[in-house]
Amino acid sequence: MKSGHGRLILRDGSDVAVSYLLNDFGSWCSGTLVGDMTAIGPADFSRGLKVRLEYGPDLVPMVIGYSEIHLTFAARYNARTTGNSRTGSEGGAR
């Protein structure tokens, strides 16, 4: 399990500072983001999110559950990300 800090970026470009716990499964992962989610409306969790990890590739998460302080997700690694993209990833999630 990996941990660190990053940003949850919303569709409108605003972002939230988060800490993360990440389980890596090759070309995809699952994890939990911990941060202040109170300013994010339920509709914002449905699509258009991106997670920018402090050290690692950007993720396009599919939200599984959330509360005021956390968000659980599954994601494929985004191969179109410049910089720290992973080898063997199978393209970005849609």
Side-chain angles (χ1 to χ4, degrees), residues 24-29 57-59 75-82 84-93:
D24 192 356
F25 301 102
S27 64
W28 65 280
C29 63
D58 288 354
L59 305 175
R76 295 178 91 180
Y77 288 108
N78 188 354
R80 291 176 282 187
T81 301
T82 57
N84 297 328
S85 63
R86 300 177 59 88
T87 58
S89 59
E90 299 172 11

Side-chain angles (χ1 to χ4, degrees), residues 36-84:
D36 182 5
M37 307 293 175
T38 56
I40 304 171
D44 292 325
F45 291 119
S46 65
R47 62 185 171 127
L49 296 177
K50 185 190 296 185
V51 179
R52 180 152 294 149
L53 305 178
E54 185 176 34
Y55 300 108
D58 288 354
L59 305 175
V60 179
M62 180 183 74
V63 177
I64 297 169
Y66 65 91
S67 73
E68 294 180 345
I69 60 170
H70 89 286
L71 178 146
T72 57
F73 68 93
R76 295 178 91 180
Y77 288 108
N78 188 354
R80 291 176 282 187
T81 301
T82 57
N84 297 328

